[in-house]
Amino acid sequence: MNFVRFRERDHIAYGIASDGEVEEISATPFLPFEPTGITHELQDVKILAPCLPSKIVAIGVNYRDHAKEMGREPPEDPMFFYKPSTAVIGPGDEIVRPPNCELLHFEGELAAVIGSVARHVPKSRWQEVVLGYTCAMDITARDLQNKDLQWGRAKGFDTSAPLGPWITTDIDPSNLELVTTVNGEVRQDSSTEQLIFDIPALVEFVSSYITLLPGDVIMTGTPSGVGELTEGDKIEVAIEDIGTLAATVRGSHV
Ligand code: MG
């Protein structure tokens, strides 16, 4: 099932997308809901980021090949940082280069969307708290990341967290192909089976430190092939069984 959040004129709602249509539901996917019978053509609505996270927990250096290209040893424990709710944009929106950034990088990632309050969730019960999956980009001001001790601005600036196009439920996330293209050229092509820490392990580890709320997002990390974005670039992250998330790059915040 694909849960989509969308705007139709002044109206924002959640719905279930299939066959080019979306049927509105009576609440969010994080609450009990009923189908309403109200349908729209998907092409007639603006698809928004599929959730409004209180926080994004992003995992660093979680693919073996990416650790190698960054010259880092695979970590002993998952390493996580935060991207704020205000970093989120939706499908087709613009990534805006932040101030003082000369090296803007893309990272295509699989994201898990939390469906219910998660605190001290053992690995064996991860499925009880994950609603589904979406495509994500962890857009990074690489020069600022290398310069700063904390990554607050380098990975948390406005527009640095494209999410979408929807939350796909009932799929196995353990072996999904992930392909990132820039202007149609393949730059990352890997599989989630290359993850150092898989989603059950991440749910257990992260929820042992912080409470995850419905709508929160875990970005699982990026494979090798990260690279530079420049003004006008079109970036797409396609994940098997989910779909494709696209964004374009604007050169400057002014
Ligand atoms: Mg990342």
Side-chain angles (χ1 to χ4, degrees):
M1 190 184 289
N2 292 324
F3 287 112
V4 64
R5 188 170 149 264
F6 67 94
R7 189 177 67 230
E8 198 254 343
R9 297 198 185 91
D10 294 336
H11 172 63
I12 292 177
Y14 275 95
I16 295 168
S18 66
D19 298 328
E21 281 197 340
V22 54
E23 180 179 9
E24 288 190 35
I25 58 176
S26 58
T28 76
F30 312 104
L31 294 168
F33 65 82
E34 302 286 340
T36 63
I38 301 167
T39 60
H40 308 276
E41 296 288 321
L42 266 180
Q43 64 186 21
D44 295 340
V45 302
K46 162 73 174 160
I47 298 180
L48 305 173
C51 53
L52 297 169
S54 75
K55 56 196 167 292
I56 294 169
V57 179
I59 313 299
V61 203
N62 198 26
Y63 280 78
R64 285 182 181 80
D65 50 2
H66 178 59
K68 203 172 167 191
E69 78 176 346
M70 299 299 284
R72 300 176 68 126
E73 289 296 313
E76 281 179 27
D77 288 320
M79 195 272 291
F80 66 84
F81 56 93
Y82 301 104
K83 292 169 86 80
S85 58
T86 43
V88 173
I89 57 174
D93 288 348
E94 274 189 331
I95 296 161
V96 183
R97 180 187 295 270
N100 304 308
C101 169
E102 301 297 328
L103 187 59
L104 189 66
H105 266 195
F106 62 83
E107 298 186 355
E109 308 202 1
L110 171 71
V113 180
I114 299 298
S116 54
V117 176
R119 185 158 186 266
H120 296 299
V121 178
K123 223 182 253 194
S124 59
R125 301 184 65 178
W126 69 280
Q127 283 175 308
E128 294 172 27
V129 300
V130 172
L131 173 68
Y133 311 91
T134 194
C135 308
M137 300 178 199
D138 173 16
I139 303 298
T140 301
R142 193 71 73 198
D143 48 353
L144 303 183
Q145 182 190 19
N146 292 335
K147 193 165 151 186
D148 295 349
L149 187 59
Q150 301 281 334
W151 301 348
R153 64 171 174 162
K155 282 177 171 284
F157 62 90
D158 287 358
T159 76
S160 67
L163 294 176
W166 40 54
I167 303 165
T168 301
T169 64
D170 306 310
I171 58 170
D172 175 0
S174 66
N175 185 11
L176 300 175
E177 188 181 22
L178 183 158
V179 176
T180 305
T181 60
V182 178
N183 304 322
E185 186 183 311
V186 175
R187 306 292 293 275
Q188 296 183 292
D189 186 352
S190 190
S191 163
T192 57
E193 74 173 341
Q194 300 294 322
L195 285 171
I196 297 171
F197 301 103
D198 63 10
I199 290 175
L202 293 175
V203 166
E204 177 176 274
F205 186 82
V206 172
S207 75
S208 71
Y209 291 94
I210 59 167
T211 301
L212 295 165
L213 299 178
D216 281 355
V217 166
I218 299 177
M219 285 192 186
T220 57
T222 200
S224 66
V226 302
E228 189 169 4
L229 292 171
T230 55
E231 180 157 17
D233 281 348
K234 181 178 185 190
I235 173 169
E236 292 183 292
V237 175
I239 303 179
E240 185 181 2
D241 293 345
I242 301 176
T244 301
L245 168 67
T248 52
V249 179
R250 200 204 305 169
S252 158
H253 65 290
V254 288

